[in-house]
Each structure stands twice: as C-alpha cells, then as structure tokens.
Amino acid sequence: MNNKGIALATETECTGCSACYNACPTKSIKMVSSDEGFLYPLIMDTCVGCKKCENSCPIVNVNHNEIVKKRAYACINEDIDTRLKSSSGGVFALLAHHILKCGGVVFGAKFDVDTQSIIHTIIDKQENLDQIMRSKYAQSNIGKTFINVKKCLKDGQKVLFSGTPCQISGLQAFLGEKYDRLYLVDVICHGVPSDVLLLKYLKYSCPKKNITEMNFRDKKKGWTDYGMSLTTDRQTKWCPKDQDPYMQMFLRDFCLRESCYNCKTKENDCADITLGDFWGIREVLPIIDDNKGTSLVITRTAKGEKLLENIIDKCKCVEVSYEDAVKYNRSEYSSTQRPIERDQFYKDLNQMSFKSMVKKYVSISWKEVIFSKLVELKIIKE
C-alpha cells in the first residue's frame, strides 16, 4: 500500500497484466522491469489517490465468469497450410478470420523485431494475422492495449482479444462492464518466462544478428516433435525442443514468473473460449491424430459456444468429455509446481553467462529433475 492508500497485488501475486497502468487517469503508474525482467507497477508521486488502479486489479477484485457449462472439443482446421503454420490445430486463425471478416479487430501477442521481445498488438487485416498466430513462451508487454480495446468497443467494433488467463482477467477488471461485441480467448497457460531470459537466449543463439522471426513451436518434424526456429536476414535455425536451452528451461519450470506457481486466475477464468494443445489425442480420438496438430477447445460461455459455431464448417470438430480433454493437460486447472532451483535461477541469470546457465540448468538429466521434484514434494529423501 502506498501513501495514498492504494493497495495493488503483492509482488508474489502480481501477474504484470498492466490493468492498473491502463486505468490510471493521471499517468502516475509506470510498468518497470524487475531484476528478473518481469514488469511490475510503480506508483509515482503524481498519484491523486483515485484508486482506479486498485479497482482494475484482477487480483484485488476477482472477476467471475458467467459460465453456462464447460464443453470440450478436439478441433482441426481443414486448411492444412494454416494448421501446419499453427502451434496446434489452427483454430485461433479461424476465430480471428471470422471477426476480421465481420469488420472487427483482433488483439494478440507478436514477436517485435525492434525490441526483440513479445508485445501485444492489434490487427485489422487478414494479411497481418500471421503476426499473432502461434504460441509465444514469454510474457507479452500489454502496453496501452486495454485502452485501445476499450476505444474499439466504444466505436462499435467487434473485438477478439487473445492472451493468457491473467491478461483476460486484467482486461475484464479494467473494462468494469460486459460488452456483447467483445470475445475473450485465452490459452492453457503453463506460465511465463521473462524478457531478460528471452533476450539473453537470443543473443546466445544468434550472436551479432537481429532475429526477424521467432517460432517457439515449429512443426517441421511434426506436432509432438516440435522445435524452436529463429530466422535472421540470412537463414533460419531450427532446434528440437529437447535440445533447445530456452525450451528446456521453460519446460523444467525454472524460469516462470513468481505468480505463475500459484495462479489466481485459473479458478476464475473469464474467457469465452480457451485454446490449447489436445495432448493425449492419440488415446482419446486416435482416428483424427495425424501428428500435424489438434486443438483443444473449451467453451466457457454461451457467447463462446456461438463463436465456435460460426467456424464449425471450416474445421473437423468432435465433442469430448472435459475429463478426457484435460487428462494430459493439467495446466488447464492447476498451477505449475515451483522447483527448488527457482530461488537461484534468476540470480544466476544476472551473474553468469548464458552458456554457463545452459551447463547448470539444461545439461542436467530429466532423471535429476524428477528426483529433485520428488525430494521437494517430500515423496523421497535425499
């Protein structure tokens, strides 16, 4: 709490959604980067104590969605080219295309060449859709996106906003009211690493070269055997996920934002539709598994169900039970377990070379990681 009586989320709970920053009428909040590279709000002396920031914090003010009934589907975009370019089954592209076709706009995360980071942006043309397709495993900078969403809604436009569950909750809290023209689509979120880690990885992978394109889920060798691809002005470098240091640090949970280990927004999901990978499709619906990607689609509201109906003729879609849908994707309903290495990881990142980080945190075997987790959970003793 600051001296004006403003109480925002604590540092361990803050998701960095930037709702408070967007809500401040006097521009008295800055989003500043911590030593770990995560954004947090800083309230300046110009604060007038109006508490609009506090009222927009999704952690302080919990939003509850009007869930009718969660329904789950396995979906595949019938356009094979779009599916292959997508991280999973290509459903997001269909949803976005529908909104654009209706004259609306779509907000999503893209890799920004100038800053070499992930930022949120707006598109209003089909030809720009590729920018915000595919998963990005880093926290996107929202900037003034929430303000722009509200302006579009006030102008009478349809808006599809895609992001993490905490960004969806932040937008809902910022808006403070429901809009029939607003469609909220979130992703099943494992957690987010920071900008500092991403930038150091990029410099390590492509020294003295600017990355022009980045694909965290390049399916060159299939959906389950995806890899990281980095494109410079000269070439594209592809590395399988099992060997890529960034993906291994991410998948082993060392580098996530502190709030991700105890996510407050999973239990109060505000999205109309949730998208993810349908891991386990081979066991649930083997007939449609071709290793080119299958989307898990969860509709949470009547509006979400209606939106899905608008694209159903362009995809292969099979309803499944919610239990089968999330059986192999626990990130839908639970937070990531915080590893004991997390306490030291970001300290090392600021003091060690990335090469040394790779040796310390990636060269260890999965057996060692599993053993560490079992010790942490007190299932076995060291």
Side-chain angles (χ1 to χ4, degrees):
M1 184 176 293
N2 75 342
N3 58 9
K4 297 291 178 68
I6 305 296
L8 298 178
T10 64
E11 187 171 339
T12 57
E13 292 181 329
C14 176
T15 65
C17 72
S18 299
C20 56
Y21 165 75
N22 280 262
C24 181
T26 59
K27 299 180 180 179
S28 297
I29 292 182
K30 286 184 178 180
M31 297 301 292
V32 297
S33 181
S34 68
D35 291 340
E36 296 180 348
F38 295 106
L39 294 176
Y40 290 90
L42 174 65
I43 301 176
M44 297 180 289
D45 292 338
T46 52
C47 171
V48 296
C50 69
K51 294 197 174 185
K52 288 187 177 180
C53 59
E54 183 179 319
N55 294 334
S56 295
C57 176
I59 303 301
V60 176
N61 305 277
V62 178
N63 293 294
H64 292 281
N65 208 352
E66 297 173 4
I67 297 176
V68 178
K69 181 184 178 182
K70 286 183 289 192
R71 298 179 69 178
Y73 304 86
C75 293
I76 290 175
N77 191 325
E78 295 281 17
D79 180 53
I80 188 63
D81 291 334
T82 301
R83 184 152 70 108
L84 289 175
K85 287 196 303 181
S86 304
S87 293
S88 48
V91 171
F92 172 72
L94 291 173
L95 297 174
H97 177 70
H98 172 73
I99 297 298
L100 293 171
K101 190 178 178 181
C102 293
V105 296
V106 181
F107 290 85
K110 76 167 187 176
F111 176 71
D112 183 59
V113 176
D114 294 333
T115 61
Q116 298 285 279
S117 64
I118 309 300
I119 65 171
H120 247 70
T121 191
I122 179 176
I123 65 163
D124 58 4
K125 297 178 181 177
Q126 180 68 28
E127 53 263 38
N128 296 328
L129 179 56
D130 188 70
Q131 297 177 15
I132 59 173
M133 286 173 57
R134 296 174 293 280
S135 301
K136 279 88 173 178
Y137 298 128
Q139 184 157 36
S140 62
N141 189 336
I142 288 291
K144 295 182 179 180
T145 295
F146 292 172
I147 294 173
N148 294 333
V149 168
K150 189 171 185 176
K151 182 180 184 303
C152 291
L153 291 170
K154 294 294 186 183
D155 289 343
Q157 290 181 289
K158 284 189 175 183
V159 174
L160 187 153
F161 179 90
S162 63
T164 60
C166 56
Q167 290 172 336
I168 298 287
S169 294
L171 176 59
Q172 280 283 56
F174 165 79
L175 292 173
E177 60 180 296
K178 305 289 184 181
Y179 288 86
D180 291 337
R181 297 183 302 279
L182 175 62
Y183 299 87
L184 301 173
V185 176
D186 69 4
V187 293
I188 296 178
C189 184
H190 175 86
V192 290
S194 78
D195 276 353
V196 167
L197 177 62
L198 180 63
L199 190 57
K200 289 192 175 184
Y201 159 75
L202 293 178
K203 289 181 178 179
Y204 166 81
S205 300
C206 299
K208 299 181 180 180
K209 295 178 183 177
N210 207 42
I211 309 299
T212 56
E213 291 182 36
M214 186 176 190
N215 187 347
F216 295 81
R217 294 280 302 281
D218 191 315
K219 295 190 288 191
K220 181 172 72 172
K221 293 190 177 181
W223 175 46
T224 56
D225 298 314
Y226 64 86
M228 175 81 82
S229 67
L230 302 173
T231 302
T232 64
D233 55 353
R234 296 182 180 180
Q235 62 181 3
T236 296
K237 175 182 177 182
W238 186 89
C239 184
K241 68 177 185 300
D242 295 335
Q243 298 176 29
D244 183 79
Y246 186 89
M247 288 304 299
Q248 284 303 299
M249 291 174 183
F250 171 68
L251 292 172
R252 298 182 186 197
D253 308 329
F254 300 142
C255 55
L256 307 184
R257 189 181 182 104
E258 197 63 60
S259 60
C260 296
Y261 300 110
N262 186 23
C263 179
K264 302 292 187 183
T265 53
K266 286 185 186 293
E267 56 198 60
N268 298 302
D269 200 307
C270 295
D272 297 302
I273 289 179
T274 293
L275 299 177
D277 292 278
F278 203 125
W279 301 127
I281 190 65
R282 189 167 297 175
E283 284 73 32
V284 179
L285 279 172
I287 194 170
I288 68 171
D289 178 39
D290 57 4
N291 199 28
K292 291 181 173 63
T294 302
S295 291
L296 166 56
V297 181
I298 301 172
T299 57
R300 300 184 183 277
T301 64
K303 187 195 291 187
E305 192 69 27
K306 180 69 175 177
L307 181 59
L308 182 62
E309 288 174 7
N310 287 317
I311 66 163
I312 208 76
D313 61 327
K314 297 178 177 64
C315 63
K316 187 180 296 182
C317 190
V318 180
E319 185 168 7
V320 298
S321 71
Y322 177 79
E323 291 71 25
D324 281 343
V326 303
K327 186 177 181 180
Y328 298 97
N329 208 331
R330 66 188 303 272
S331 292
E332 148 67 7
Y333 56 85
S334 66
S335 299
T336 300
Q337 185 72 36
R338 190 184 192 277
I340 55 176
E341 293 88 350
R342 175 58 173 81
D343 288 328
Q344 190 63 37
F345 181 87
Y346 276 105
K347 292 179 183 177
D348 288 342
L349 185 64
N350 288 322
Q351 298 171 4
M352 298 167 60
S353 67
F354 196 84
K355 184 177 181 179
S356 297
M357 291 289 290
V358 173
K359 184 177 180 180
K360 180 173 181 178
Y361 291 97
V362 179
S363 297
I364 60 175
S365 69
W366 274 107
K367 288 184 179 179
E368 291 176 277
V369 174
I370 294 170
F371 177 79
S372 175
K373 285 185 176 293
L374 291 175
V375 171
E376 180 185 352
L377 295 171
K378 298 180 180 181
I379 295 174
I380 62 174
K381 295 181 179 180
E382 286 190 272

